[in-house]
Each structure stands twice: as structure tokens, then as C-alpha cells.
Amino acid sequence: MKKLFLATCLLFISPFIYAQASKAPAYPLINRNTYFSIWSFGDTLNASTTKHWTGKDQSLLGYIKVDNEYYRFLGKEAKSYRTILPASDEKPYLCKYTETTPAAGWQSIQFNDSKWDTGSAPFSDDKTQAKTVWNSKDIWVRRTFTLDNPNVNKLLLKLYHDDNVEVYLNGTEVFTNVGWTSDFELIPLKDVAKTLLRKGTNVLAIHCANTAGAAWLDAGLLDEVKETPDKIVQPAKQTGLEMNATQTIYKFRCGKADLVLTFTSPLLLTERSVYETPVSYISYRVRSNDNKPHDIKVLLSASTDIAVNKPMQDVAAEAYTSGKLSILRAGTIDQPVLKKKGDDLRIDWGYMYVAAPAADGVVQYISNGREQVNPLLAKATVTADTIRGKELFLNSIIPFGHVGKNYVDRYMELSYDDLFSVEFFNVPLKPWWKADGTKTMEKELAKASSDYLSVMKKCAAFNHQLYQDALKAGGDKYAKLCVIAYRQSIAAHVLVKSPHGDILFLSKENFSNGSINTVDVTYPSAPLYLAYAPKFMEGMLNGIFYYSESGKWKKPFAAHDLGTYPLANGQTYGEDMPVEESGNMLILTEAIARAEGNADYAKEHWQTLTTWANYLVKAGFDPANQLCTDDFAGHLAHNANLSIKAIVGIACYAKLAEQLKQPQAAANYRNIAQAMVKNWLRKADAGNHYSLVFGDRNTWSQKYNLVWDKVLGLHLFPQSVYDKEIKYYLTKQNKFGLPLDSRKTYTKSDWIMWTATLSNNLANFKALTDPVYRFATETPTRVPLSDWHETTNGKQVGFQARSVVGGYFMKVLAAKWGVK
């Protein structure tokens, strides 16, 4: 027992020994995959509602009772709203509409709309979702409603529009916007707007213009319920915040008690059996801070919004026991498995779980709204163990008993069973952990509970290893960036087994177009997985190889993606990236050979690799007006950096041929690549640097694709190229980093890490990467780490929560492979 006690003490102290980062744009809490991913969007855990990476509320609330004092340490109660006029996600409605320009005064209450058509919202050109199909450019809508009591606290417009919109309330304009939304947004209206409401008849009138692409219109009105100050529950005082690779750790002063709260998602790339178990932990350590014993209880409330796409969806929740665990489970009633695809979506099929050891005396119950804290406050008894409704809470109270100066430890488990994770060429695939059909979530929760101490020990060891790897490679600030990036990158993927038994590690192109297994997302993500788990790297390529080798993709270059997440049924991106993706696949296949010490993986796909290499020989050196991975910057002909990718890709094919005992092919392709290098040096020469595009000496760009020449030891480009570029880049830096190229001042931080690795001087590496650390710790945009930001002010330009921050590990990879 004494040994167990000491081991437990060391286990829970170790996170603070190995805590490595204390500031990030947002903080990962529960992170398993792109659907089960909960974050804190601020530095103080109890100052805001926890959210999904998309920014939608997925509330976790934590309270602690110390004797008869109550404190909230986790999350914040979401604002409450009263519906004045429901949108269609809450209740179907009819309104008048026309697609012909109406007469003047169409916005007013008195306007006669009897000759307008009648239709139901939403109005859209998407026939699968529209209640009224709208295919024209403009639509005018009038919605008449009656109020008995027009008094409101704060009026909000609930609006989903695509594209430009003008909104009128009783004839007065209350909102306009040029642009579109991808979901409902709650828009606070000016105070004058609420004075427009009247007892009796009112009219909400909207004009929407579809300027391009999709069309959508749906709207309602809400009243923000006035908050009453909580005089019973106080906010706990946060006294510490630390992050390491697998954990986010908070310290709180809760009156006469101290609390250490640890969120652990054991995404151990080096421990497959741990990684595959779909369970995360919330650990609690409490003690008295005044040398007197205190009666302590902790309450965790988890919103069922974690299991819905939109809050208005109906859910069913239940409480039950299984073996040694008390369990809460919730999911939507409809269970639309794999029925939605796209970017700004949350999962609304499968089930969320909250579990705790029954031996700890846990009390679990289900509640509506803000009633969840009442049993802790002794204001209500616990009765509900099965409920149906909207926006429910799964609640667990853990009693710690009388606690003195020594820490007492407890934990809970959170998990999600998505039933089927993705569809792969029309075959629904279960998550890896249940692919063999023998496992249930109850079994996985039981295993995770019995393995709790060993998992924590493994996490502590890995956290230390990763930080030390990064520290030795690039210094303290660089190591902190790797810590910030680790869970984000992994949790933007899902692990499944293909119908043929192959590993598939599929990314979602988060906060972009929602593509699944995008090759030019895999490419920048690769260094993390090459450094710690090459088999996962294979899983990132297997789907693309299958797409070509099955005959489903017939073009002589690699596809861009496999579809729109979670449906991997074939490319949905509207334009190919032939040189980009073919180069990516060839380079990463050689990188796998380097990581695994053999070319067996390449041998399996040799015919496909040969086709792609020949395409690069034909079209790669001076790319036409093709898109590349930096497609947000637009088309660019004669792209010198894309040309490097083609050259390096051909050289990688040559090196693979050499490893596969094909000396003639190796020599031929090596010679082609070397001849291209000579031509490149001439065409890209711009004096003191190399140009963005061939022939324009007034341009420049980060030549991040060069890094593979160095890291893979291809020896294509002379050292003078690296030295000249690094020297030039150091003259182009802004406060928050090196711009991507001469066209704009924004940058991609993953590419900066690759560019900096070109330097063989640690001081220059730090000079290029330290501004990225400044961005990560000073950006005013508080969202999961963005890889696309403005170098002048540190603001996010686009993208967040993407896997590409795995590219931050390029310097770690180089160091592991003995490259300085």
C-alpha cells in the first residue's frame, strides 16, 4: 500500500514537473478526433463556456463544495434565451415570399402581400434541405407574427443567410450584411430595435441576394434572459495553468481548499493500445489549505450539446451502472448516422459517455438547463435517471469526504462512441477500437479505469520525452510550440480500418472546406507522425493510393482529397492540384522509407508512384497556372517553390528505386532531377535571393519545399541556396513572423517551421521561429491555434484547429534523423 501511495503521489506531481507551456490561443480539454474535441477559448477556465473547435458551445461545468461554500471552477453557464419568433430549426413556420422585385414599402406592416407566394423556411437552392427551393438571385420574405407582450430585455436576430441580407422590423432596417454565414448566428440588435416591437401584429421582412454559390435564408428573434447574480456560487480563483503534450492542467484556490484539475487525452502515438482506447480523463486533486479538515464534493455537468449538431435537436439520456462504473449516456433521438457532411458541423449520431468508479460514491443524475447544480446546493433531490429533451446536462457528484492537508485524488472518464466514423467508398467504417465487433464502450471505459494509473504514468513519460526532443532540437520557445500543436494535430484525424484491413488515419480539413484526407493537409502535418509513428503516416496515404489503384481515380496524378468529411467516396474539391499532390505523395513515401528503414511500403505502390513520377517529369519543372497547397493565395504560374516540390519528388522516386534494387531507374530519375536543379538555379535567380515565380526578380517566397532535400539527404541544391534564402528572409520579417511571400503580409506558420529548418544555425532558426511563438502567445484571436495569420498584428486570417500544425515538428524530425 505504501508503494502504491508513493507511486500515486509521483504520478500526480509529475504533470507539474513536466509542464511545459502556459499560454496558447485556446486550450485543449477533451480531444479525441474532429467531432469529439472540446476547448477553452480563454486563459481563465471559468470565465467562458467551453466550446467545440468550431466555436459552438459544448458546455462542461465544474463546481466544488467546501463545507457550505460553493465555487465554480470549470466553464461558465451559457446565456439563456427566450424565443420570440422561432427559426425553422426550432419550429416549422410559413411566410410570404416573392422572387420578383416588390413595390416600395414592402417592409412595412401595412403592405399588402396577399399576392405573394407562401412557403416554409429554410429557403435554399439545396433541394435536399430546403423546405422552399430558391434558385433565383433575389428573394424577399415577409413574416407576420403576433405578440401579447412586446417587452424584452435584449433583442437578438437569429439569422442564417447566404448571401447579402437586409433585415427590417416593422418597416425599420435593423441589420444589414454583405457576405454569408454557414449556420445560424445570434446577432445582438441595437436597443432601438426592441422599441419597434408592438403588442399585436408585427412583421419581420428580409431581402436576401444570392451573389454566388449556395443560397440560404432562415431567421427568428430571441430575447436574452437577464442574468441574476449568483450569490451562492462564487468563481474559484485560478492560480495556475500548464500544458504538456497530452494534458492541460489548472490550479485553483477555492476558499479553504486547493484544487488541481487535469484534462488528459492520452493520444500516445508511441503507445497504440493506449491511443486506440477512446477515453479521456478529468482528474481532481483536492486538499485543505488552512491545515483544517473540510468536507468536499465536486460536481461535473456535461451538456448534451456535445452529442448534437444544433442545440434544438432532441436527445435521450440515461444513467446506469456497468460493472464497477457508474455511467451517464446521451445521444440524439433521430441518430442520423453519417447523414451530414461539411466543415462547420458537430456530430449528431452516436453517444457521449460520462463515467466514474462507483466505489468513489459518485451520484449521477440528468437535469434540464440550470438545475444541474441544485443537488449540490441541497435544493433538490436526485430523481431523474432517464430524460428526453433538449439541452440536457449529465451530472456527476463525487464526494471526497473530510479532506486535510494531504491531497485526495479522484477522476472521471469522458468518451464518445460514434458507431460509424466515416464512409469509405460507400462502406461505413466503425472506429478502429471497435472494428473487430467484440468491444463495447462499457468494456473500453472499464479498461481505461483499471489502466488509469499506468496510462497517467505513460503520459508523463511521453510528455517529458516530446518536450526534451523539441527542446534539444530548437530551444524552449520552439518546444512550447510543439506542445501546443501536439493534441490539436492528432485530434483533427480519425483512426479507422479499411475494408481491406489497412490502417486509415483520415484528416478533416477543419475551418476550411471540410475535405477528408486532403493530400496537401497530410503533407504539412507529416513531420509529427514521421517522427513518432510512421504507421500512422502510412494511414494518411493509404486511402489516396487505394483511390488510384482501384481505378476509381483515373488521372495520371494524385487526387486532392477523398471527399467531404465524413464521406470519403471520392474527390469533391472542384479543382485538381496535379504537381502539388503528386509531389507530396512521392516525398512522403520516401520519408516513410527513411523512417522505417526500408522501402517495403513503396514497393506495394510502385506502379502508382511511377505514374506520378512520370507526370512530374513531364509537367513539374515549370508548372502551368496550377493551384498549390497555398491555394488561398490564388493561382500562380511558374511557381518556383512548386517547381522545387516536383524536383524533390522525382529525386525521392530515384532514391526509392535505388532502395528497391533498380539502379538504372534510380540513375535516370536522379539525373533528371539534377538537370532540373541547374535550370531552376538559373530561372529563379534574383540576385540576393530566389524569386517567387520564374523570371520576376522583384518577387520572393519561402522555399519551404527545400527542406526535404536537406532532411532526406538528397543533396540536390547547393548549400549556397539555403544560406542565401535564410539571409534574405531575415530581412523580411515582421513582428509576428515571416510573410509567406511577397504578395501579402500574411503567413503560414507551419511553413515558417520548415523554412527555419533550412538553416544550419540555431540562432537563425530561433530568429525565424520565435515570432511564431509570439503569435501563439499574444494573438488577439482566441481560437484553437491558427496556421494562417497576419504577421503585422498577429490576428487570425483563416483556418483553425487544423492538423497541419504537426508540421511544427520538422526540426524534431530532422534532429531524430541526425540532420543539423
Side-chain angles (χ1 to χ4, degrees):
M1 288 298 294
K2 185 176 180 181
K3 288 183 178 179
L4 178 60
F5 173 76
L6 291 173
T8 304
C9 289
L10 288 172
L11 175 65
F12 284 101
I13 292 171
S14 63
F16 291 96
I17 296 174
Y18 300 137
Q20 296 121 2
S22 58
K23 187 69 184 294
Y27 300 90
L29 303 179
I30 304 296
N31 311 88
R32 299 299 311 189
N33 55 52
T34 187
Y35 282 139
F36 193 35
S37 183
I38 306 172
W39 296 70
S40 173
F41 278 39
D43 298 325
T44 305
L45 184 61
N46 58 4
S48 61
T49 306
T50 58
K51 300 177 183 294
H52 185 256
W53 65 260
T54 55
K56 297 296 191 297
D57 289 351
Q58 290 192 340
S59 180
L60 296 175
L61 291 166
Y63 303 88
I64 185 170
K65 178 184 179 183
V66 183
D67 296 329
N68 291 312
E69 300 291 328
Y70 302 88
Y71 303 88
R72 175 175 46 81
F73 58 84
L74 166 59
K76 187 177 182 180
E77 292 86 351
K79 293 179 179 179
S80 296
Y81 302 97
R82 177 179 66 89
T83 299
I84 298 173
L85 187 64
S88 71
D89 65 332
E90 187 174 353
K91 183 179 179 181
Y93 65 87
L94 293 172
C95 55
K96 292 290 189 175
Y97 76 96
T98 181
E99 297 176 70
T100 303
T101 304
W106 66 272
Q107 312 95 324
S108 69
I109 294 178
Q110 297 80 14
F111 184 81
N112 183 359
D113 58 19
S114 61
K115 294 184 179 180
W116 286 24
D117 294 321
T118 300
S120 300
F123 297 86
S124 176
D125 61 346
D126 183 347
K127 295 180 181 179
T128 65
Q129 299 187 69
K131 292 295 174 62
T132 302
V133 176
W134 165 34
N135 285 318
S136 63
K137 179 181 178 181
D138 292 273
I139 192 168
W140 290 262
V141 172
R142 285 173 52 86
R143 187 176 177 191
T144 302
F145 59 101
T146 302
L147 291 179
D148 294 327
N149 182 4
N151 296 319
V152 300
N153 172 50
K154 187 174 183 180
L155 186 62
L156 291 93
L157 176 66
K158 181 178 178 180
L159 182 63
Y160 183 174
H161 68 95
D162 190 353
D163 294 297
N164 306 341
V165 69
E166 307 159 15
V167 182
Y168 302 84
L169 182 57
N170 291 336
T172 299
E173 183 178 273
V174 293
F175 180 74
T176 63
N177 187 51
V178 175
W180 68 93
T181 64
S182 56
D183 201 346
F184 285 106
E185 291 190 358
L186 302 187
I187 303 160
L189 300 178
K190 294 180 180 179
D191 285 344
V192 68
K194 67 182 182 181
T195 67
L196 300 172
L197 292 171
R198 52 198 286 183
K199 185 175 181 178
T201 301
N202 296 263
V203 171
L204 181 69
I206 305 174
H207 170 218
C208 191
N210 180 31
T211 58
W216 195 281
L217 182 60
D218 196 356
L221 293 172
L222 301 176
D223 178 19
E224 182 179 311
V225 177
K226 189 174 183 179
E227 293 185 13
T228 56
D230 193 333
K231 297 180 180 180
I232 299 177
V233 179
Q234 309 170 56
K237 182 180 180 181
Q238 184 174 308
T239 59
L241 166 57
E242 302 287 350
M243 287 176 62
N244 50 49
T246 63
Q247 296 170 316
T248 304
I249 308 155
Y250 296 88
K251 293 181 178 180
F252 293 94
R253 175 63 64 96
C254 309
K256 297 175 182 179
D258 292 336
L259 167 67
V260 179
L261 180 69
T262 302
F263 296 88
T264 304
S265 289
L267 302 176
L268 300 180
L269 292 177
T270 55
E271 295 273 355
R272 276 283 294 275
S273 62
V274 176
Y275 176 90
E276 291 167 8
T277 303
V279 178
S280 293
Y281 304 94
I282 302 179
S283 306
Y284 308 88
R285 305 194 75 209
V286 298
R287 71 175 180 184
S288 166
N289 58 37
D290 66 354
N291 293 317
K292 297 178 182 179
H294 298 285
D295 184 59
I296 296 177
K297 294 180 179 179
V298 165
L299 165 64
L300 173 72
S301 295
S303 171
T304 57
D305 283 353
I306 294 168
V308 303
N309 180 42
K310 296 183 178 182
M312 290 297 104
Q313 289 179 273
D314 290 312
V315 298
E318 62 178 327
Y320 63 101
T321 58
S322 176
K324 298 179 180 180
L325 294 177
S326 294
I327 300 175
L328 293 163
R329 184 180 92 146
T332 59
I333 292 173
D334 290 342
Q335 289 294 306
V337 180
L338 297 173
K339 296 300 183 183
K340 297 180 179 68
K341 64 178 181 178
D343 182 34
D344 187 12
L345 295 174
R346 277 71 40 205
I347 193 168
D348 59 1
W349 68 89
Y351 299 92
M352 62 179 287
Y353 291 78
V354 179
D360 289 341
V362 62
V363 176
Q364 293 190 307
Y365 57 98
I366 304 158
S367 65
N368 289 293
R370 300 194 175 195
E371 300 170 1
Q372 72 274 2
V373 76
N374 287 344
L376 187 70
L377 303 177
K379 288 185 176 181
T381 57
V382 177
T383 57
D385 57 8
T386 303
I387 290 183
R388 289 190 172 199
K390 297 178 175 68
E391 299 185 280
L392 306 179
F393 278 88
L394 308 184
N395 308 292
S396 304
I397 297 177
I398 297 182
F400 285 73
H402 289 280
V403 179
K405 64 180 181 179
N406 296 320
Y407 276 114
V408 178
D409 304 290
R410 299 285 187 270
Y411 66 89
M412 295 184 192
E413 300 174 312
L414 274 73
S415 61
Y416 204 101
D417 181 359
D418 51 8
L419 306 180
F420 291 94
S421 300
V422 299
E423 189 171 278
F424 185 74
F425 293 98
N426 302 307
V427 179
L429 300 182
K430 295 178 180 180
W432 183 280
W433 65 269
K434 67 185 303 184
D436 64 4
T438 65
K439 296 178 180 178
T440 65
M441 184 56 78
E442 286 79 7
K443 290 180 181 179
E444 294 299 288
L445 288 166
K447 179 179 184 297
S449 182
S450 63
D451 293 347
Y452 174 68
L453 290 178
S454 65
V455 169
M456 292 296 154
K457 185 176 180 180
K458 289 176 180 178
C459 285
F462 180 77
N463 296 338
H464 179 65
Q465 174 195 345
L466 182 140
Y467 184 77
Q468 290 300 315
D469 288 347
L471 182 67
K472 292 175 183 177
D476 181 60
K477 291 181 179 178
Y478 171 68
K480 287 179 168 63
L481 284 169
C482 289
V483 166
I484 294 169
Y486 182 80
R487 269 174 286 168
Q488 172 173 313
S489 181
I490 298 172
H493 296 83
V494 66
L495 182 67
V496 293
K497 184 180 291 186
S498 81
H500 307 95
D502 296 323
I503 181 175
L504 295 173
F505 192 53
L506 305 175
S507 65
K508 179 177 180 180
E509 195 168 343
N510 289 346
F511 214 79
S512 180
N513 62 1
S515 290
I516 185 169
N517 205 192
T518 303
V519 179
D520 58 282
V521 168
T522 294
Y523 178 68
S525 306
L528 170 59
Y529 307 97
L530 290 166
Y532 293 102
K535 287 297 178 184
F536 279 74
M537 189 71 249
E538 290 184 17
M540 298 161 81
L541 305 190
N542 281 338
I544 299 296
F545 276 123
Y546 171 79
Y547 195 12
S548 283
E549 292 162 1
S550 65
K552 300 177 190 299
W553 178 259
K554 303 181 185 301
K555 299 177 182 180
F557 47 78
H560 170 270
D561 61 78
L562 291 184
T564 301
Y565 201 95
L567 305 182
N569 295 327
Q571 179 173 312
T572 52
Y573 192 69
E575 187 170 351
D576 298 328
M577 297 185 186
V579 172
E580 173 71 39
E581 312 302 18
S582 299
N584 291 341
M585 292 295 291
L586 284 158
I587 292 168
L588 294 179
T589 303
E590 164 55 21
I592 288 172
R594 172 67 179 81
E596 295 179 344
N598 61 73
D600 293 350
Y601 183 70
K603 186 176 182 180
E604 296 176 25
H605 307 290
W606 192 243
Q607 183 176 346
T608 305
L609 292 168
T610 301
T611 299
W612 294 341
N614 288 335
Y615 177 82
L616 293 183
V617 170
K618 177 182 177 182
F621 173 71
D622 190 357
N625 198 31
Q626 291 190 11
L627 284 176
C628 70
T629 186
D630 304 318
D631 55 350
F632 51 84
H635 291 76
L636 187 67
H638 316 300
N639 185 332
N641 188 46
L642 186 57
S643 177
I644 291 172
K645 179 169 290 183
I647 295 168
V648 172
I650 293 166
C652 284
Y653 179 82
K655 193 164 186 177
L656 289 166
E658 181 181 3
Q659 292 170 277
L660 292 173
K661 311 300 183 185
Q662 298 183 28
Q664 187 60 52
N668 288 343
Y669 285 91
R670 175 73 184 182
N671 289 337
I672 291 169
Q674 288 177 323
M676 286 182 173
V677 169
K678 291 180 180 178
N679 201 10
W680 188 94
L681 292 172
R682 177 180 58 82
K683 296 190 71 171
D685 185 20
N688 62 350
H689 68 284
Y690 293 92
S691 58
L692 164 66
V693 295
F694 292 145
D696 190 344
R697 297 170 63 91
N698 295 317
T699 63
W700 66 272
S701 65
Q702 293 187 46
K703 307 300 187 300
Y704 53 82
N705 287 320
L706 269 175
V707 75
W708 293 108
D709 181 38
K710 177 179 179 177
V711 171
L712 292 173
L714 301 176
H715 306 296
L716 293 167
F717 290 81
Q719 182 63 40
S720 59
V721 174
Y722 298 88
D723 295 341
K724 182 185 289 188
E725 286 291 279
I726 291 294
K727 184 178 180 180
Y728 188 78
Y729 298 149
L730 291 172
T731 70
K732 294 296 181 180
Q733 293 223 91
N734 290 322
K735 181 179 180 180
F736 293 99
L738 177 67
L740 179 63
D741 57 47
S742 52
R743 290 176 289 179
K744 301 283 186 179
T745 55
Y746 58 56
T747 195
K748 289 283 274 86
S749 55
D750 47 346
W751 297 146
I752 290 179
M753 297 299 176
W754 292 28
T755 296
T757 304
L758 296 176
S759 175
N760 55 14
N761 180 305
L762 186 57
N764 286 342
F765 175 84
K766 290 182 177 180
L768 288 166
T769 58
D770 281 0
V772 178
Y773 178 75
R774 181 180 295 119
F775 157 71
T777 56
E778 297 180 16
T779 176
T781 312
R782 306 309 300 270
V783 297
L785 185 62
S786 172
D787 53 287
W788 182 16
H789 73 267
E790 176 54 58
T791 63
T792 58
N793 57 25
K795 292 182 179 180
Q796 174 193 32
V797 177
F799 305 154
Q800 66 193 45
R802 301 210 308 164
S803 68
V804 302
V805 295
Y808 286 17
F809 286 81
M810 181 59 85
K811 187 68 170 177
V812 170
L813 179 64
K816 281 181 172 288
W817 288 355
V819 179
K820 296 183 178 180

